[in-house]
């Protein structure tokens, strides 16, 4: 396992713990997704380079194999013609081709194995990306639920503090109307008594008492800053 692979394993392993402590888990997930996506892009480029290199090595290996077989056929043809020296030269070149074929085959197999390992890492990284993306959707939904709950709480609290509750509002209206009705009845009674007073329906003694109390009320009102 590569160092980069181990680092990614550590990051994924601790992501859940970091999310639980984060104030904005969606933002942290977005950062992780962005970083993972960059890793995937780089790994895909490397995979393509490995694939091209493997194809080149395979071509060199097969070419060396073809040359080896051709030199062997040339050696046999030389022996049939009685040209042993030419046969030796062809066999020498065959040995060189065989060595080159073995070298390229070894390089090809190493490159092919690395390509397969990289393909496996890419599958894991894509799977991780999808898993974390799904987690992002979950945390985004939770954050939206929290925001909506906060807005609802704020609206309910605002309504109560402003006295906008229907029950409270109608009680206030009832009290105000009752006060106005009481004032109207009081004013009506006062005016009726005033007419009776002016028409002589009240004795002189009572009038004297009323005038005295009226004067006393006027003095109290003057002290309170009232002027007629």
């Amino acid at each position: 396992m590569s160092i980069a692979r181990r680092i990614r394993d550590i990051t994924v392993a601790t992501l859940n713990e970091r999310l639980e402590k984060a104030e904005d888990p969606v933002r942290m997930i977005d950062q992780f997704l962005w970083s993972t996506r960059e890793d995937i892009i780089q790994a895909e480029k490397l995979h393509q380079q490995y694939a091209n290199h493997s194809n080149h090595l395979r071509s060199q290996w097969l070419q060396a194999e073809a040359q080896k077989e051709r030199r062997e056929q040339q050696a046999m043809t030389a022996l049939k013609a009685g040209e042993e020296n030419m046969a030796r030269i062809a066999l020498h070149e065959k040995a060189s081709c065989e060595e080159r074929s073995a070298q390229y085959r070894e390089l090809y197999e190493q490159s092919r194995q690395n390509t397969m390992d990289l393909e496996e890492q890419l599958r894991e990284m894509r799977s991780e990306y999808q898993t974390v993306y799904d987690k992002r959707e979950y945390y985004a939904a939770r954050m939206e639920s929290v925001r909506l709950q906060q807005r609802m709480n704020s609206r309910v609290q605002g309504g109560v503090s402003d006295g906008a509750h229907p029950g409270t509002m109608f009680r206030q209206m009832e009290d105000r109307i009752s006060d106005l009705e009481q004032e109207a009845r009081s004013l009506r009674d006062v005016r009726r008594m005033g007419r009776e007073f002016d028409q002589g329906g009240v004795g002189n003694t009572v009038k004297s008492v009323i005038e005295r109390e009226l004067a006393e009320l006027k003095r109290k009102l003057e002290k309170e800053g009232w002027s007629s």
Side-chain angles (χ1 to χ4, degrees), residues 60-83:
Q60 292 294 100
W61 164 45
L62 295 179
Q63 183 178 348
E65 277 290 304
Q67 290 177 349
K68 181 187 72 171
E69 294 176 1
R70 189 160 53 249
R71 294 293 182 263
E72 183 175 347
Q73 290 295 328
Q74 289 175 348
M76 292 179 62
T77 300
L79 281 177
K80 290 178 181 179
E83 299 286 343

Side-chain angles (χ1 to χ4, degrees), residues 55-112:
N55 289 335
H56 173 72
L57 293 174
R58 184 174 183 274
S59 176
Q60 292 294 100
W61 164 45
L62 295 179
Q63 183 178 348
E65 277 290 304
Q67 290 177 349
K68 181 187 72 171
E69 294 176 1
R70 189 160 53 249
R71 294 293 182 263
E72 183 175 347
Q73 290 295 328
Q74 289 175 348
M76 292 179 62
T77 300
L79 281 177
K80 290 178 181 179
E83 299 286 343
E84 291 188 7
N85 190 44
M86 291 298 298
R88 291 189 183 92
I89 294 174
L91 290 175
H92 177 74
E93 291 182 357
K94 174 193 172 185
S96 177
C97 292
E98 190 172 7
E99 181 182 4
R100 188 166 66 254
S101 172
Q103 292 172 341
Y104 276 112
R105 180 177 181 178
E106 182 180 2
L107 289 176
Y108 166 72
E109 291 178 349
Q110 290 177 355
S111 180
R112 183 170 176 271

